[in-house]
Every structure is written in C-alpha cells, then in structure tokens.
Amino acid sequence: MSTLSGVARSSGIPQRSWLNPSTWHLRTRLVLVAMALLVAICGAVGIVSYASMDMVFNKQLDRQLEQASSRANDFGRPPSNFPTNPSGRPDPLEARGQAAGTLNARIDGSTVRSSGLIDAQGNRVSLSAADEQVLLSLPKDSLPVDRSLSNGDYRLVAVDTNGDVIVTGLPLADKQSAEASLVWTMVLVSLGGLVLIGLAGTVIIRRTMRPLEQLSEVATKVSRLPLDAGEVALAVRVPASAAHPGTEVGSVGHALNLMLNNVSNALEARQESETKVRQFVADASHELRTPLTAIRGYTELLRMTETFTDDGRKSLARVQSQSERMTTLVEDLLLLARLDEGQPVKVEDVDLTQLVIETVSDEKVMAPDHIWQLQLPDEPVTVRGDATQLHQVLANLLSNARKHTDRGTTVVTGVMLSADGSAVVTVTDNGPGIPDDFQGRIFSRFARADAARSGSEGTSGLGLSIVDSIVAAHGGTVEVTSRPGRTEFALRLPTVSTGEVQSSLQGDSPTS
C-alpha cells in the first residue's frame, strides 16, 4: 500500500536468508538433505574401504616382511671369500632374494654391527646414526611396527636369534601410494556423484513440486481478489493435472477446488442478496421521495394559511425539520444505490482549488464559532470529475469536522500535488480525535461514533460512506489518520493528465 508521498509501505513478508533455513524453498531443503545423505554415505563407504584396503595391504606387507626376515635369519655363515662384519658373522643384507628397498641390520646388545638397505639399482645404502637409534629402540617381540626413517616410512620387525637381533624392514611407499590413489578416487567419484545427484535431484524435485507451486499460484491469485464487496468472478481453479485425488498433492488440489467452488457459490449468493437489498433500498428511497415532498409542501402550506398556538407551531416546525432530515437521508441512500450500481460519472474539468474555497466559505457561514483555514497552492489544481459530487465530498468532510468537534476548533483544508502527480485534498482538525477501534470501520454505512468526538449535532452515519463511494467512483482513494489533537482525512484524486485515462475506462466523453 502506498502513502500520500508515494512511498510503498512494507508488506511484512519475511525476507529469504541463507542463514535461516526456515525461509528456504522446500525443494532447496530436499536437495540439500539428499546431498547431505549422499555425503554421509560416501564418507562411510570411503572410511570402510580405506580401512579394509589398509588391512589388506598390511597383511600382504607382513607376509612379505615375514619372508624377508626369514631369509635374513636363515642366512648361514658364508664361505671364506665372502665379506663379513667385524664379529665374523654374516651380513643379513647379503641374504639371497632380498628385494630392492629391503632394510637389514644386526644388533649386538646396544650396538648396530651392520645396517643398510638396497636401493632401486641394487646397491647397498648405509643408514644414518639417527636411523640406527630408531632401530635400537624397536621392541624385540617379532611383531611388525611402522617407523619413519631418513629414507621414508618402513615397516620393521626385530627378531632375537640367540644373542643377536636381526632387524628386517620393507618400505611403505607402495602401500601409501596405493592408499592415496584410493582416497583420490573415492573423493573424485563422490564429488562427481554429488554433482550428478544435485542436478538430477533439482530437476526431479522441481518437477515433483510443480503441482504444489500451482496450488500456491492459485491461492495467491485468490488472495488478491477483492472478495469483500461487489460482484466477484472467482474463476481461478487448480489445473486438473494437480487436482487428481489419487495422490497426496492431488488430494490437496482437489480439496482446494471444492473449497473455491463453495466460496464462489457463497459469493454469488451474497451478491444476489446484496443486489436485492440495494434494489429494495433504491426502490424504497425513490417511492419515499413523493410522500416526503408532499409532507413538506403541506407543512409549508399549513404554516402560511393556518393559525396555530405556540405548541402547534413548535410541533409543525418539528414535523418540517424531521421531513427535511428524512429527505436528506433518502437522497443519500439513492446516491449510494446509484454508485453501487456502477453508474458512470459525468466527468468534466473541475477547478479543485476554487471548489475548496467555495465549500469552506459555506461552512464559515454555518459554523462561525470554528476557525477555518486554507492552505492552497500558487497555481490552481484541476481534476476530472463530477463537480456536484466532489462538492458533496468536501461538504461532508467539513461537516463531519464541524459536527464532531467543539467550538473554537481549527479546521485546515489544504490542496496539493503529490509526488505521482495526483491531487491531494486534506481536511485536518485539532479536535479530540477518533478512537483506534473505530477508524477501521469509519467509512462503513451507518457507522457512528458520536460519543467519541464531542459536538452537539447528530448524524445518519452515511456521510463518510458517501465520501468513500464517490471518491472510488472517481478513481481516487480516501484515508484517515487520527490521534488526540489531530485528525486528518486525505483524498487522492487523478488530475487532468491522469483523469483522462479514468474517463476512458468509464466510457464517458468530456463535457464542456
């Protein structure tokens, strides 16, 4: 809804935020949940696969390590022409069948007598002092353990051979390379699966959720229809493809269509009833005009031709005043009936500024005990409309301010152009204000709040209803804001430039 300054008010709809999952689309949450489950499954499969392959590789490596250790331990005393270590015992690295990368060492007490490994070219490579310290710290329980050496990670086993400890080791590089390949394969396959599942899931879920979106579209269209008054064509329905009662979403769509059918029938019955009531009011008001005119005429005739006592004259004056009040009420009802029927307005160029001056001048004569002020622009403001009806709008608003405020109240009538080029007329008083609970129904017919605002004159409760209906027929709006000490009625009417469009919509041609 727009204010008089043309600034749109907040709709109150919460904005979507990625930090608040409750504002996400349902399809987004479904896709994310599916991907989260896939991530969990891929993670579980990856962990189990890695653990299983690690166990297989360890068993395979332990068998190779056991065979290499057995060859080193069974290596006998070599012939005299073979090199030996200082203690005269053979070097276990000289054992036959040892593969490239194999590590062997003989430990005598706390001294490493011989140590080394075979490189990829089959040459012997000595171990560093730090590596020998690692070998000395190995447990002598013949169980394989993993250690980091200067040449890489090794799986080592130390076997006690009656005084000497022979250490045998095999590199872990091949195992680690295979496991790294397995990890990368699992990661890439999982990422590819996530992408495919995300894309496919989005398409599938979007197609699956399409019936729900159709339900939402129908409900949104119905929510924007003016169902509160007038003839309503409720032709919006859920498509048959989304209203099949055999599915969950289809059952909702079918139920929504049944509800819309019921609402449509109720609206048609209400409109028929309202039409009958309006026709009755129009007919009754029209029929009452003749007898009321006769009553007023005969009352005036009696006043001029007959002699009455003081009480008789008072009674006759009372009859005349009540007949005049009844005539005004009937005329108001007839006007509302015509406006309800949608009768086109006779439009012409109306100098709104001059109309305001004349109406305020009339009120000054009727209520000299109020302070009447004008706030007018330098240039006249011209609108398209019925001058008589617009005069009645202004007279009703000023009369409303006069009747419901005390003597000495200041009433300011202003004319201005808003930011969007519309003409705005404001009637502001510094009276006691309008209760908040009454402001929402102040433009309803026969709505009265005489007790809320002071003043001595009674009202029929139709004045502001007529204002609202006439302004709506002219393509404008009327608003009220009130608090103790300030009450403002604001009219917004199309000017000449925008009024021509309204005139063409109503099918009237300008009159001159």
Side-chain angles (χ1 to χ4, degrees), residues 301-351:
L301 180 62
L302 289 174
R303 182 189 299 275
M304 292 185 299
T305 60
E306 301 294 335
T307 301
F308 296 93
T309 62
D310 292 340
D311 290 339
R313 283 193 298 271
K314 291 180 181 179
S315 299
L316 190 62
R318 182 65 175 170
V319 171
Q320 185 174 12
S321 65
Q322 291 301 314
S323 64
E324 291 175 352
R325 182 173 181 271
M326 187 66 179
T327 300
T328 302
L329 178 61
V330 168
E331 293 296 335
D332 289 344
L333 290 174
L334 276 174
L335 176 59
L336 287 173
R338 295 191 189 101
L339 294 173
D340 289 340
E341 291 175 358
Q343 295 184 2
V345 178
K346 296 180 180 180
V347 294
E348 59 183 352
D349 289 348
V350 179
D351 187 345

Side-chain angles (χ1 to χ4, degrees), residues 234-284:
L234 190 59
V236 183
R237 294 293 185 276
V238 179
S241 59
H244 192 280
T247 62
E248 289 80 0
V249 177
S251 298
V252 177
H254 181 67
L256 182 57
N257 279 343
L258 293 179
M259 183 188 70
L260 291 177
N261 291 335
N262 188 25
V263 172
S264 179
N265 294 334
L267 290 175
E268 291 177 359
R270 185 207 66 184
Q271 177 62 25
E272 183 178 357
S273 176
E274 288 184 356
T275 302
K276 292 180 179 179
V277 171
R278 289 171 181 170
Q279 188 62 42
F280 170 77
V281 171
D283 293 342

Side-chain angles (χ1 to χ4, degrees), residues 107-244:
I107 299 176
D108 182 11
S110 59
T111 304
V112 178
R113 295 299 181 183
S114 64
S115 64
L117 57 87
I118 302 173
D119 62 12
Q121 289 76 31
N123 300 320
R124 180 191 181 95
V125 178
S126 299
L127 300 181
S128 65
D131 293 340
E132 291 181 352
Q133 291 298 320
V134 173
L135 299 181
L136 288 173
S137 63
L138 293 175
K140 313 304 188 294
D141 53 5
S142 302
L143 295 178
V145 294
D146 295 339
R147 293 290 187 271
S148 294
L149 303 178
S150 59
N151 293 292
D153 295 336
Y154 270 76
R155 193 162 180 83
L156 305 171
V157 62
V159 179
D160 191 349
T161 58
N162 297 323
D164 289 343
V165 175
I166 296 179
V167 178
T168 304
L170 292 178
L172 295 174
D174 292 341
K175 172 196 169 186
Q176 293 173 344
S177 176
E179 290 179 343
S181 299
L182 175 64
V183 170
W184 280 109
T185 300
M186 293 294 296
V187 170
L188 294 177
V189 171
S190 299
L191 290 177
L194 285 175
V195 173
L196 290 177
I197 289 296
L199 295 177
T202 300
V203 174
I204 295 173
I205 291 175
R206 183 180 293 272
R207 295 184 60 183
T208 305
M209 299 292 292
R210 178 57 185 164
L212 283 179
E213 293 179 353
Q214 292 176 330
L215 296 181
S216 176
E217 291 173 0
V218 171
T220 301
K221 291 179 180 178
V222 173
S223 68
R224 293 172 179 171
L225 293 176
L227 304 178
D228 55 337
E231 186 174 359
V232 180
L234 190 59
V236 183
R237 294 293 185 276
V238 179
S241 59
H244 192 280

